[in-house]
PDB file of all heavy atoms in Angstrom:
ATOM      1  N   ASP A 477      61.482  78.809 114.039  1.00  0.00           N
ATOM      2  CA  ASP A 477      60.852  78.726 115.351  1.00  0.00           C
ATOM      3  C   ASP A 477      60.959  80.104 116.021  1.00  0.00           C
ATOM      4  O   ASP A 477      61.475  81.059 115.437  1.00  0.00           O
ATOM      5  CB  ASP A 477      61.481  77.628 116.199  1.00  0.00           C
ATOM      6  CG  ASP A 477      62.986  77.799 116.397  1.00  0.00           C
ATOM      7  OD1 ASP A 477      63.523  78.903 116.134  1.00  0.00           O
ATOM      8  OD2 ASP A 477      63.632  76.824 116.819  1.00  0.00           O
ATOM      9  N   THR A 478      60.463  80.222 117.235  1.00  0.00           N
ATOM     10  CA  THR A 478      60.419  81.527 117.894  1.00  0.00           C
ATOM     11  C   THR A 478      61.806  82.142 118.038  1.00  0.00           C
ATOM     12  O   THR A 478      62.009  83.330 117.747  1.00  0.00           O
ATOM     13  CB  THR A 478      59.744  81.415 119.275  1.00  0.00           C
ATOM     14  OG1 THR A 478      58.379  81.026 119.094  1.00  0.00           O
ATOM     15  CG2 THR A 478      59.792  82.735 120.031  1.00  0.00           C
ATOM     16  N   ALA A 479      62.777  81.354 118.469  1.00  0.00           N
ATOM     17  CA  ALA A 479      64.130  81.892 118.665  1.00  0.00           C
ATOM     18  C   ALA A 479      64.720  82.379 117.343  1.00  0.00           C
ATOM     19  O   ALA A 479      65.317  83.471 117.277  1.00  0.00           O
ATOM     20  CB  ALA A 479      65.029  80.831 119.294  1.00  0.00           C
ATOM     21  N   ARG A 480      64.543  81.608 116.265  1.00  0.00           N
ATOM     22  CA  ARG A 480      65.113  81.987 114.973  1.00  0.00           C
ATOM     23  C   ARG A 480      64.400  83.226 114.422  1.00  0.00           C
ATOM     24  O   ARG A 480      65.035  84.122 113.857  1.00  0.00           O
ATOM     25  CB  ARG A 480      64.990  80.817 113.989  1.00  0.00           C
ATOM     26  CG  ARG A 480      65.642  81.066 112.605  1.00  0.00           C
ATOM     27  CD  ARG A 480      67.145  80.940 112.700  1.00  0.00           C
ATOM     28  NE  ARG A 480      67.805  81.224 111.437  1.00  0.00           N
ATOM     29  CZ  ARG A 480      68.128  80.296 110.519  1.00  0.00           C
ATOM     30  NH1 ARG A 480      67.839  79.029 110.729  1.00  0.00           N
ATOM     31  NH2 ARG A 480      68.774  80.636 109.422  1.00  0.00           N
ATOM     32  N   PHE A 481      63.089  83.281 114.567  1.00  0.00           N
ATOM     33  CA  PHE A 481      62.357  84.455 114.087  1.00  0.00           C
ATOM     34  C   PHE A 481      62.823  85.708 114.823  1.00  0.00           C
ATOM     35  O   PHE A 481      63.054  86.753 114.194  1.00  0.00           O
ATOM     36  CB  PHE A 481      60.856  84.262 114.281  1.00  0.00           C
ATOM     37  CG  PHE A 481      60.031  85.393 113.721  1.00  0.00           C
ATOM     38  CD1 PHE A 481      59.530  85.341 112.437  1.00  0.00           C
ATOM     39  CD2 PHE A 481      59.758  86.523 114.494  1.00  0.00           C
ATOM     40  CE1 PHE A 481      58.776  86.389 111.921  1.00  0.00           C
ATOM     41  CE2 PHE A 481      59.004  87.574 113.984  1.00  0.00           C
ATOM     42  CZ  PHE A 481      58.513  87.501 112.701  1.00  0.00           C
ATOM     43  N   ASN A 482      62.944  85.627 116.137  1.00  0.00           N
ATOM     44  CA  ASN A 482      63.350  86.799 116.903  1.00  0.00           C
ATOM     45  C   ASN A 482      64.754  87.258 116.535  1.00  0.00           C
ATOM     46  O   ASN A 482      65.022  88.467 116.463  1.00  0.00           O
ATOM     47  CB  ASN A 482      63.240  86.515 118.403  1.00  0.00           C
ATOM     48  CG  ASN A 482      61.798  86.425 118.867  1.00  0.00           C
ATOM     49  OD1 ASN A 482      60.879  86.774 118.139  1.00  0.00           O
ATOM     50  ND2 ASN A 482      61.588  85.953 120.093  1.00  0.00           N
ATOM     51  N   MET A 525      55.344  79.208 116.268  1.00  0.00           N
ATOM     52  CA  MET A 525      56.013  80.494 116.363  1.00  0.00           C
ATOM     53  C   MET A 525      55.073  81.635 115.995  1.00  0.00           C
ATOM     54  O   MET A 525      55.014  82.667 116.668  1.00  0.00           O
ATOM     55  CB  MET A 525      57.231  80.498 115.432  1.00  0.00           C
ATOM     56  CG  MET A 525      57.938  81.837 115.283  1.00  0.00           C
ATOM     57  SD  MET A 525      57.235  82.920 113.995  1.00  0.00           S
ATOM     58  CE  MET A 525      57.629  82.002 112.523  1.00  0.00           C
ATOM     59  N   ASP A 528      52.795  82.584 118.792  1.00  0.00           N
ATOM     60  CA  ASP A 528      53.460  82.766 120.075  1.00  0.00           C
ATOM     61  C   ASP A 528      53.392  84.246 120.486  1.00  0.00           C
ATOM     62  O   ASP A 528      53.869  85.114 119.748  1.00  0.00           O
ATOM     63  CB  ASP A 528      54.928  82.327 119.953  1.00  0.00           C
ATOM     64  CG  ASP A 528      55.662  82.323 121.276  1.00  0.00           C
ATOM     65  OD1 ASP A 528      55.214  82.989 122.233  1.00  0.00           O
ATOM     66  OD2 ASP A 528      56.716  81.650 121.358  1.00  0.00           O
ATOM     67  N   VAL A 531      56.466  86.446 120.022  1.00  0.00           N
ATOM     68  CA  VAL A 531      56.806  86.960 118.693  1.00  0.00           C
ATOM     69  C   VAL A 531      56.126  88.301 118.454  1.00  0.00           C
ATOM     70  O   VAL A 531      56.746  89.257 117.970  1.00  0.00           O
ATOM     71  CB  VAL A 531      56.434  85.935 117.608  1.00  0.00           C
ATOM     72  CG1 VAL A 531      56.444  86.564 116.223  1.00  0.00           C
ATOM     73  CG2 VAL A 531      57.395  84.758 117.655  1.00  0.00           C
TER      74      VAL A 531
END
Side-chain angles (χ1 to χ4, degrees):
D477 57 15
T478 296
R480 184 76 183 267
F481 184 93
N482 289 349
M525 173 274 293
D528 187 340
V531 166

